[in-house]
Amino acid sequence: MKIQEIARLAGVSPSTVSRVFSHHPGISEEIRERVFAISKQYSYHPRLSTKQRNVVIITPYQSVYPVQCCVEMILMALTRELPNRGFRLEILPQDNLERLDAIQFCAAAAIGAEPKDFQNWSDRFSVPLIILDREAKRNFPEVYLVRSDEEQGMELALAHLSGCGCRKIGCIIHGTPGTGNTDIRCEAIRRFLRKKGLPADDSLVCFGRDEEYLEIIGKLLRHKIDGLFCPGGSGGILAAYALSLFGKQIPEDISLIASEQTFFSRYGTPPQTTITPDYAAMASAVADVIEDRIAGRKHPVRTVLPYLLIRRESVRTSAG
């Protein structure tokens, strides 16, 4: 089907259809919905304009942990990579998405958004949406996922702790069950610990919010842990502070691995060993999706990238 046929069925001119697909702000909602409905009925996917280079970055509209701590790092990577590929950026909080109807853009990238909130994306827009740092149980039209391999990341950290001699590892997953990536992380942690023959019950693997870390670490110390893994949020900062209050030294008493915090982890006392998403690779993957879509090439719905381990001084050597 050609754009002229879409125009005939919608009762508008081909130029109007073109404006709909390029998200021209001067099109009424009625015409926009009519054109999208017809294109969806006939499985018509317009090719993106090679001239349109605006990309909207959708950010959380409030502090959402454990998302907020990595938003800035993802955003920095995107602002380096996308302009290098010739794209212009507009930052838009998620509570201001109605502005999308008034601007022209060739793609959008949402940081830490829930895919289910965008399941009807293709009903409104004919451009790709790339969601970063999230997984979805099913696919939605024009929605792509770029995320880190949570299972691999959890195993990477725990393998380092166990390889350095830790035999009773406490884990505090930042956040609450059923939100973000918490459940994926919990299942991966338990699976790895059991595979290694290490304890993995609820007394050692738990969820926590900022204000709960002190109490949780106190309980973990009563179980005589020798290693601590704190994925997500500001777990590394909170854990180091809590351990100091209990008179525990890192790594002499407790080896610690957390999630990378660019402006803290390397400056901690001692500097913290961390796992980190490959933010540069994530930004590059976002640009790849957009460029493939513009060129009319197919692109995988999911791009899953490995975590990296940054070795510093908060994990003792096996000889220690």
Side-chain angles (χ1 to χ4, degrees):
M1 176 173 281
K2 296 182 178 181
I3 195 171
Q4 290 81 2
E5 185 65 12
I6 296 287
R8 185 185 67 79
L9 292 172
V12 297
S13 67
S15 61
T16 297
V17 174
S18 179
R19 290 190 185 98
V20 170
F21 289 141
S22 64
H23 307 288
H24 194 283
I27 301 297
S28 71
E29 189 63 27
E30 177 187 357
I31 292 177
R32 188 189 305 273
E33 290 180 358
R34 192 190 316 160
V35 170
F36 276 132
I38 292 171
S39 63
K40 188 173 184 179
Q41 178 183 352
Y42 289 94
S43 300
Y44 177 79
H45 297 284
R47 185 165 178 171
L48 300 183
S49 170
T50 57
K51 296 179 180 180
Q52 178 56 260
R53 307 293 287 182
N54 293 330
V55 176
V56 176
I57 308 298
I58 302 171
T59 62
Y61 61 89
Q62 60 183 0
S63 294
V64 182
Y65 288 96
V67 175
Q68 192 66 29
C69 289
C70 71
V71 168
E72 293 85 358
M73 288 180 276
I74 294 177
L75 192 56
M76 285 195 311
L78 290 173
T79 55
R80 282 194 295 266
E81 179 69 20
L82 292 178
N84 285 339
R85 302 271 195 112
F87 295 105
R88 296 176 294 274
L89 305 183
E90 177 163 348
I91 311 299
L92 194 65
Q94 193 169 335
D95 64 342
N96 195 26
L97 293 184
E98 64 273 7
R99 176 165 165 71
L100 290 174
D101 292 323
I103 60 178
Q104 292 180 280
F105 60 103
C106 66
I111 304 173
E114 297 299 333
K116 61 181 177 59
D117 294 338
F118 293 91
Q119 57 186 308
N120 297 321
W121 175 264
S122 64
D123 292 338
R124 292 182 59 196
F125 306 106
S126 60
V127 301
L129 168 69
I130 303 100
I131 296 180
L132 295 103
D133 194 39
R134 284 293 180 269
E135 181 54 91
K137 293 183 178 179
R138 66 186 185 91
N139 300 337
F140 304 115
E142 288 291 6
V143 176
Y144 298 82
L145 305 174
V146 173
R147 68 174 180 87
S148 298
D149 188 336
E150 295 297 332
E151 296 88 345
Q152 174 264 344
M154 301 306 101
E155 293 183 3
L156 183 65
L158 295 170
H160 187 53
L161 286 172
S162 62
C164 290
C166 295
R167 290 297 174 263
K168 202 165 191 181
I169 302 171
C171 299
I172 307 175
I173 304 161
H174 203 298
T176 55
T179 63
N181 296 315
T182 54
D183 293 342
I184 299 174
R185 290 174 175 175
C186 184
E187 292 173 8
I189 287 170
R190 292 184 189 278
R191 184 167 53 249
F192 180 86
L193 291 174
R194 288 170 182 150
K195 183 174 67 175
K196 290 292 184 179
L198 301 176
D201 56 66
D202 290 343
S203 66
L204 294 176
V205 181
C206 51
F207 300 90
R209 294 170 295 184
D210 287 358
E211 65 274 13
E212 298 171 325
Y213 271 64
L214 182 60
E215 178 183 356
I216 293 172
I217 288 178
K219 292 178 179 178
L220 290 174
L221 291 175
R222 287 197 290 273
H223 287 285
K224 301 186 184 304
I225 62 170
D226 56 6
L228 181 60
F229 176 39
C230 298
S234 300
I237 304 170
L238 299 169
Y241 174 68
L243 288 171
S244 71
L245 293 181
F246 287 106
K248 298 298 181 180
Q249 298 295 312
I250 303 171
E252 291 83 0
D253 299 317
I254 307 289
S255 289
L256 172 66
I257 295 182
S259 292
E260 177 72 1
Q261 293 290 304
T262 300
F263 300 110
F264 173 81
S265 299
R266 73 183 66 186
Y267 305 114
T269 307
Q272 294 185 354
T273 295
T274 59
I275 58 169
T276 180
D278 189 339
Y279 294 111
M282 292 178 72
S284 180
V286 170
D288 288 344
V289 172
I290 300 170
E291 289 185 339
D292 280 352
R293 184 66 176 78
I294 289 175
R297 297 187 295 264
K298 288 187 177 181
H299 194 94
V301 172
R302 285 170 176 77
T303 301
V304 182
L305 301 164
Y307 269 88
L308 307 175
L309 178 70
I310 302 176
R311 300 188 183 204
R312 298 194 182 102
E313 299 168 25
S314 65
V315 176
R316 63 180 177 273
T317 63
S318 56

